[in-house]
Amino acid sequence: MGYLIAIAIVTFTIMMMSKIWRVCVILFWRPYAMTRHFRKQGVIGPPYSLVSGSLHDIKTMMKDARNMVMDKHSNDITQRVLPHYQIWSSLYGERFLYWYGTEPRICISDVELAKEILSNKFGFYAKPKTRPSIVTMIGEGLAIVNGVEWVRRRRILNPAFSMDKLKVMISRMAACTISMLEEWKKQAIETKEKSKKIEMTEEFRELTANIIAHTAFGTSFVHGREAFDAQTQLHKHCVASNSDVFIPGTQYFPTKSNIEIWKLDRKMKKSLQCIIESRLQNSQSDCSYGDDLLGVMMDTEKTNDHGSKKLKMNEIMDECKTFFFAGHETTSNLLNWTVFLLSLHKDWQDKLRQEVQQICGMEIPDADMLSKLKMVNMVLLEALRLYCPAIQLERVASQDMKLGNLIIPQGTCLTIPITMIHTSKKYWGEDANEFNPMRFINGISKASNHPNALLAFSVGPRNCIGQNFAMLEAKTVMTLILQRFSWSLSSDYEHAPVNNLTLQPQHGLPIIIKPLQL
Ligand code: HEM
């Protein structure tokens, strides 16, 4: 008996010692060894602080930046959105090492290296582990899975985004937009001035939510809205906790915030389940679930013709969450910033209106007309450059890697600051911070001195699957607005772009709209 107790004590002691050793490695040894490893290669950065790494500094800099209001004509948003990158790159150079808690991160703002990371076909630069609250919000879907699982899902989902499928959706995008614009007009003509102040961020959030619900999920509006509302509230929780140190396991504690997250997650799942069940009941006569994204995903439940395993019900729910989030936050921000830029650059607003009138008249645009709107396209690209909805990209080295002349140890996270690259004079020339859509006259690859300097939709195998969807949607919405309204910036607008997982106007975007025909 005594013998057994002795074995148990020894085993327990060994286990405890190994755990303590692991904690010591993570807290002390790795930061020391990594700092030395990168210093030898000429990469330095802010000092590591125990447990919090550089997070405390990041939080302080972000807080200060949030209190700053910019001149509305300034597009130099890095100082407000990624203040730590701007400060550290000026102190330590273009590449630097910092600490996200105990996790080492290297900032890479060289486009050639960024391309090398993003184009790796073997998945050696994987998506980093996502915080549990964010996984709950966006689902364990295409945007965060890695390896063979990602290959399987991308293969299944790609057909839903083919141009043929997307073209059919334009009329539905237009119908959602027109119903919003009719309301604007009604409100404007009721006023004495025949104009109306509109809070664009809310209108566009609502519109893009409607569009993704109708086009991608062809769903009943009520359940779609419920799912969106729950996701929007989850989003607020994620933004609030994103710059805090995350301690693994704490997601299971019944804290006030976790209880709220669980409640919202249940609500979202219930709404999605209702949408899917109603689709199951209404399957079409040819036994297909429809041509839209949900239909394609659900069809894989029955068919298995490309040799890849079909999507299970819970995976479909995860992908729905992913597309709800990725499909409307980003596009609504693209619309916000395009309207903002055109309110300051009235000459461009007039030029685009002329182009729209020439090509579409007052008709609802179709795919052919949209493809001819060259200037609208150029302005959208310039808006994506200056006010890119995705602020930075992250990858983690899944094995030791050679990147340019750098040796990157396994587990190092690499961050690519899109906002900084998009306004770098090194790539875009002296007018990098200015609004100049003409730079895109010969296409994206010729707009800068590096063909991949525009990273709005990323590059390589994990680029944005929804980019054609987003561009068709943005062009449709802008065309319909340009046909019907002129607009200017309201005097109470405060220029304060903020990083809320995507780039948003912190205090909203009040715009005065005037119908062109009363
Ligand atoms: C202006 C609008 C949009 C922008 C700027 C944008 C940007 C991006 C970027 C930069 C990535 C790469 C992320 C990374 O590598 O970490 C990405 C991926 C993704 N986007 Fe978009 N996106 C937009 C619209 C959309 C839409 C409309 C959808 C769906 C309907 C969508 C779905 C996705 C998905 C599922 C991924 C993950 C792809 C993968 O990992 O294979 N996005 N997006």
Side-chain angles (χ1 to χ4, degrees), residues 200-218:
M200 285 291 167
T201 49
E202 279 162 26
E203 295 290 307
F204 284 146
R205 188 171 290 136
E206 189 93 356
L207 173 67
T208 51
N210 278 345
I211 289 181
I212 195 89
H214 282 99
T215 57
F217 301 105

PDB file of all heavy atoms in Angstrom, residues 200-218:
ATOM      1  N   MET A 200     -25.158  56.946 -42.116  1.00  0.00           N
ATOM      2  CA  MET A 200     -24.847  55.925 -43.127  1.00  0.00           C
ATOM      3  C   MET A 200     -24.411  54.590 -42.539  1.00  0.00           C
ATOM      4  O   MET A 200     -24.732  53.532 -43.087  1.00  0.00           O
ATOM      5  CB  MET A 200     -23.733  56.416 -44.056  1.00  0.00           C
ATOM      6  CG  MET A 200     -24.186  57.437 -45.035  1.00  0.00           C
ATOM      7  SD  MET A 200     -25.285  56.702 -46.249  1.00  0.00           S
ATOM      8  CE  MET A 200     -25.952  58.147 -46.993  1.00  0.00           C
ATOM      9  N   THR A 201     -23.648  54.622 -41.458  1.00  0.00           N
ATOM     10  CA  THR A 201     -23.122  53.336 -40.942  1.00  0.00           C
ATOM     11  C   THR A 201     -24.277  52.387 -40.608  1.00  0.00           C
ATOM     12  O   THR A 201     -24.216  51.199 -40.899  1.00  0.00           O
ATOM     13  CB  THR A 201     -22.247  53.534 -39.690  1.00  0.00           C
ATOM     14  OG1 THR A 201     -22.949  54.368 -38.786  1.00  0.00           O
ATOM     15  CG2 THR A 201     -20.926  54.149 -40.012  1.00  0.00           C
ATOM     16  N   GLU A 202     -25.331  52.959 -40.008  1.00  0.00           N
ATOM     17  CA  GLU A 202     -26.468  52.094 -39.640  1.00  0.00           C
ATOM     18  C   GLU A 202     -27.223  51.623 -40.883  1.00  0.00           C
ATOM     19  O   GLU A 202     -27.618  50.466 -40.980  1.00  0.00           O
ATOM     20  CB  GLU A 202     -27.424  52.841 -38.715  1.00  0.00           C
ATOM     21  CG  GLU A 202     -26.917  52.819 -37.287  1.00  0.00           C
ATOM     22  CD  GLU A 202     -27.548  53.882 -36.418  1.00  0.00           C
ATOM     23  OE1 GLU A 202     -28.672  54.309 -36.719  1.00  0.00           O
ATOM     24  OE2 GLU A 202     -26.880  54.298 -35.448  1.00  0.00           O
ATOM     25  N   GLU A 203     -27.391  52.552 -41.831  1.00  0.00           N
ATOM     26  CA  GLU A 203     -28.120  52.180 -43.060  1.00  0.00           C
ATOM     27  C   GLU A 203     -27.386  51.078 -43.814  1.00  0.00           C
ATOM     28  O   GLU A 203     -27.993  50.116 -44.271  1.00  0.00           O
ATOM     29  CB  GLU A 203     -28.254  53.409 -43.972  1.00  0.00           C
ATOM     30  CG  GLU A 203     -29.104  54.520 -43.406  1.00  0.00           C
ATOM     31  CD  GLU A 203     -30.582  54.156 -43.358  1.00  0.00           C
ATOM     32  OE1 GLU A 203     -31.117  53.747 -44.403  1.00  0.00           O
ATOM     33  OE2 GLU A 203     -31.187  54.264 -42.279  1.00  0.00           O
ATOM     34  N   PHE A 204     -26.061  51.238 -43.941  1.00  0.00           N
ATOM     35  CA  PHE A 204     -25.301  50.256 -44.713  1.00  0.00           C
ATOM     36  C   PHE A 204     -25.178  48.920 -43.973  1.00  0.00           C
ATOM     37  O   PHE A 204     -25.133  47.862 -44.587  1.00  0.00           O
ATOM     38  CB  PHE A 204     -23.922  50.796 -45.092  1.00  0.00           C
ATOM     39  CG  PHE A 204     -23.965  51.796 -46.224  1.00  0.00           C
ATOM     40  CD1 PHE A 204     -23.082  52.866 -46.261  1.00  0.00           C
ATOM     41  CD2 PHE A 204     -24.884  51.669 -47.245  1.00  0.00           C
ATOM     42  CE1 PHE A 204     -23.116  53.795 -47.307  1.00  0.00           C
ATOM     43  CE2 PHE A 204     -24.938  52.586 -48.290  1.00  0.00           C
ATOM     44  CZ  PHE A 204     -24.053  53.648 -48.322  1.00  0.00           C
ATOM     45  N   ARG A 205     -25.116  48.996 -42.642  1.00  0.00           N
ATOM     46  CA  ARG A 205     -25.059  47.737 -41.882  1.00  0.00           C
ATOM     47  C   ARG A 205     -26.351  46.945 -42.122  1.00  0.00           C
ATOM     48  O   ARG A 205     -26.339  45.752 -42.377  1.00  0.00           O
ATOM     49  CB  ARG A 205     -24.866  48.031 -40.397  1.00  0.00           C
ATOM     50  CG  ARG A 205     -24.610  46.765 -39.600  1.00  0.00           C
ATOM     51  CD  ARG A 205     -24.204  47.034 -38.189  1.00  0.00           C
ATOM     52  NE  ARG A 205     -22.874  47.613 -38.081  1.00  0.00           N
ATOM     53  CZ  ARG A 205     -22.571  48.617 -37.285  1.00  0.00           C
ATOM     54  NH1 ARG A 205     -23.491  49.178 -36.541  1.00  0.00           N
ATOM     55  NH2 ARG A 205     -21.342  49.082 -37.227  1.00  0.00           N
ATOM     56  N   GLU A 206     -27.441  47.661 -42.052  1.00  0.00           N
ATOM     57  CA  GLU A 206     -28.755  47.056 -42.261  1.00  0.00           C
ATOM     58  C   GLU A 206     -28.871  46.509 -43.704  1.00  0.00           C
ATOM     59  O   GLU A 206     -29.314  45.393 -43.930  1.00  0.00           O
ATOM     60  CB  GLU A 206     -29.790  48.166 -42.039  1.00  0.00           C
ATOM     61  CG  GLU A 206     -31.210  47.739 -41.990  1.00  0.00           C
ATOM     62  CD  GLU A 206     -31.669  47.465 -40.554  1.00  0.00           C
ATOM     63  OE1 GLU A 206     -30.833  47.538 -39.634  1.00  0.00           O
ATOM     64  OE2 GLU A 206     -32.837  47.152 -40.380  1.00  0.00           O
ATOM     65  N   LEU A 207     -28.428  47.340 -44.651  1.00  0.00           N
ATOM     66  CA  LEU A 207     -28.544  46.958 -46.061  1.00  0.00           C
ATOM     67  C   LEU A 207     -27.717  45.712 -46.372  1.00  0.00           C
ATOM     68  O   LEU A 207     -28.211  44.758 -46.984  1.00  0.00           O
ATOM     69  CB  LEU A 207     -28.087  48.123 -46.961  1.00  0.00           C
ATOM     70  CG  LEU A 207     -27.993  47.796 -48.453  1.00  0.00           C
ATOM     71  CD1 LEU A 207     -29.372  47.529 -49.043  1.00  0.00           C
ATOM     72  CD2 LEU A 207     -27.304  48.922 -49.232  1.00  0.00           C
ATOM     73  N   THR A 208     -26.441  45.727 -45.950  1.00  0.00           N
ATOM     74  CA  THR A 208     -25.586  44.576 -46.296  1.00  0.00           C
ATOM     75  C   THR A 208     -26.056  43.321 -45.563  1.00  0.00           C
ATOM     76  O   THR A 208     -25.921  42.213 -46.074  1.00  0.00           O
ATOM     77  CB  THR A 208     -24.100  44.871 -46.000  1.00  0.00           C
ATOM     78  OG1 THR A 208     -23.993  45.349 -44.663  1.00  0.00           O
ATOM     79  CG2 THR A 208     -23.523  45.879 -46.953  1.00  0.00           C
ATOM     80  N   ALA A 209     -26.636  43.517 -44.380  1.00  0.00           N
ATOM     81  CA  ALA A 209     -27.202  42.363 -43.667  1.00  0.00           C
ATOM     82  C   ALA A 209     -28.376  41.802 -44.470  1.00  0.00           C
ATOM     83  O   ALA A 209     -28.491  40.588 -44.657  1.00  0.00           O
ATOM     84  CB  ALA A 209     -27.659  42.784 -42.276  1.00  0.00           C
ATOM     85  N   ASN A 210     -29.219  42.690 -44.970  1.00  0.00           N
ATOM     86  CA  ASN A 210     -30.349  42.245 -45.786  1.00  0.00           C
ATOM     87  C   ASN A 210     -29.873  41.535 -47.037  1.00  0.00           C
ATOM     88  O   ASN A 210     -30.409  40.504 -47.436  1.00  0.00           O
ATOM     89  CB  ASN A 210     -31.184  43.448 -46.241  1.00  0.00           C
ATOM     90  CG  ASN A 210     -32.130  43.884 -45.158  1.00  0.00           C
ATOM     91  OD1 ASN A 210     -32.351  43.150 -44.216  1.00  0.00           O
ATOM     92  ND2 ASN A 210     -32.670  45.077 -45.296  1.00  0.00           N
ATOM     93  N   ILE A 211     -28.861  42.145 -47.678  1.00  0.00           N
ATOM     94  CA  ILE A 211     -28.378  41.577 -48.951  1.00  0.00           C
ATOM     95  C   ILE A 211     -27.817  40.175 -48.733  1.00  0.00           C
ATOM     96  O   ILE A 211     -28.147  39.247 -49.466  1.00  0.00           O
ATOM     97  CB  ILE A 211     -27.347  42.513 -49.618  1.00  0.00           C
ATOM     98  CG1 ILE A 211     -28.060  43.759 -50.148  1.00  0.00           C
ATOM     99  CG2 ILE A 211     -26.612  41.797 -50.753  1.00  0.00           C
ATOM    100  CD1 ILE A 211     -27.173  44.768 -50.853  1.00  0.00           C
ATOM    101  N   ILE A 212     -26.988  40.018 -47.700  1.00  0.00           N
ATOM    102  CA  ILE A 212     -26.412  38.677 -47.507  1.00  0.00           C
ATOM    103  C   ILE A 212     -27.510  37.688 -47.125  1.00  0.00           C
ATOM    104  O   ILE A 212     -27.514  36.542 -47.562  1.00  0.00           O
ATOM    105  CB  ILE A 212     -25.235  38.678 -46.481  1.00  0.00           C
ATOM    106  CG1 ILE A 212     -24.426  37.384 -46.561  1.00  0.00           C
ATOM    107  CG2 ILE A 212     -25.675  38.881 -45.075  1.00  0.00           C
ATOM    108  CD1 ILE A 212     -23.324  37.414 -47.530  1.00  0.00           C
ATOM    109  N   ALA A 213     -28.505  38.160 -46.360  1.00  0.00           N
ATOM    110  CA  ALA A 213     -29.602  37.264 -45.975  1.00  0.00           C
ATOM    111  C   ALA A 213     -30.387  36.829 -47.216  1.00  0.00           C
ATOM    112  O   ALA A 213     -30.688  35.654 -47.387  1.00  0.00           O
ATOM    113  CB  ALA A 213     -30.521  37.947 -44.982  1.00  0.00           C
ATOM    114  N   HIS A 214     -30.688  37.789 -48.087  1.00  0.00           N
ATOM    115  CA  HIS A 214     -31.502  37.456 -49.255  1.00  0.00           C
ATOM    116  C   HIS A 214     -30.719  36.722 -50.341  1.00  0.00           C
ATOM    117  O   HIS A 214     -31.241  35.808 -50.965  1.00  0.00           O
ATOM    118  CB  HIS A 214     -32.098  38.732 -49.860  1.00  0.00           C
ATOM    119  CG  HIS A 214     -33.272  39.228 -49.086  1.00  0.00           C
ATOM    120  ND1 HIS A 214     -33.184  40.247 -48.167  1.00  0.00           N
ATOM    121  CD2 HIS A 214     -34.553  38.829 -49.059  1.00  0.00           C
ATOM    122  CE1 HIS A 214     -34.366  40.455 -47.629  1.00  0.00           C
ATOM    123  NE2 HIS A 214     -35.215  39.612 -48.142  1.00  0.00           N
ATOM    124  N   THR A 215     -29.488  37.165 -50.598  1.00  0.00           N
ATOM    125  CA  THR A 215     -28.757  36.586 -51.727  1.00  0.00           C
ATOM    126  C   THR A 215     -28.044  35.290 -51.367  1.00  0.00           C
ATOM    127  O   THR A 215     -28.139  34.309 -52.089  1.00  0.00           O
ATOM    128  CB  THR A 215     -27.700  37.563 -52.273  1.00  0.00           C
ATOM    129  OG1 THR A 215     -26.847  37.906 -51.202  1.00  0.00           O
ATOM    130  CG2 THR A 215     -28.318  38.781 -52.891  1.00  0.00           C
ATOM    131  N   ALA A 216     -27.333  35.317 -50.265  1.00  0.00           N
ATOM    132  CA  ALA A 216     -26.544  34.136 -49.955  1.00  0.00           C
ATOM    133  C   ALA A 216     -27.362  33.081 -49.230  1.00  0.00           C
ATOM    134  O   ALA A 216     -27.097  31.898 -49.351  1.00  0.00           O
ATOM    135  CB  ALA A 216     -25.327  34.516 -49.131  1.00  0.00           C
ATOM    136  N   PHE A 217     -28.331  33.513 -48.439  1.00  0.00           N
ATOM    137  CA  PHE A 217     -29.074  32.536 -47.653  1.00  0.00           C
ATOM    138  C   PHE A 217     -30.525  32.432 -48.066  1.00  0.00           C
ATOM    139  O   PHE A 217     -31.252  31.597 -47.533  1.00  0.00           O
ATOM    140  CB  PHE A 217     -28.954  32.866 -46.165  1.00  0.00           C
ATOM    141  CG  PHE A 217     -27.527  32.880 -45.713  1.00  0.00           C
ATOM    142  CD1 PHE A 217     -26.867  34.061 -45.469  1.00  0.00           C
ATOM    143  CD2 PHE A 217     -26.827  31.695 -45.582  1.00  0.00           C
ATOM    144  CE1 PHE A 217     -25.542  34.069 -45.087  1.00  0.00           C
ATOM    145  CE2 PHE A 217     -25.494  31.704 -45.200  1.00  0.00           C
ATOM    146  CZ  PHE A 217     -24.853  32.890 -44.949  1.00  0.00           C
ATOM    147  N   GLY A 218     -30.952  33.304 -48.993  1.00  0.00           N
ATOM    148  CA  GLY A 218     -32.324  33.269 -49.493  1.00  0.00           C
ATOM    149  C   GLY A 218     -33.328  33.014 -48.377  1.00  0.00           C
ATOM    150  O   GLY A 218     -34.270  32.253 -48.519  1.00  0.00           O
TER     151      GLY A 218
END
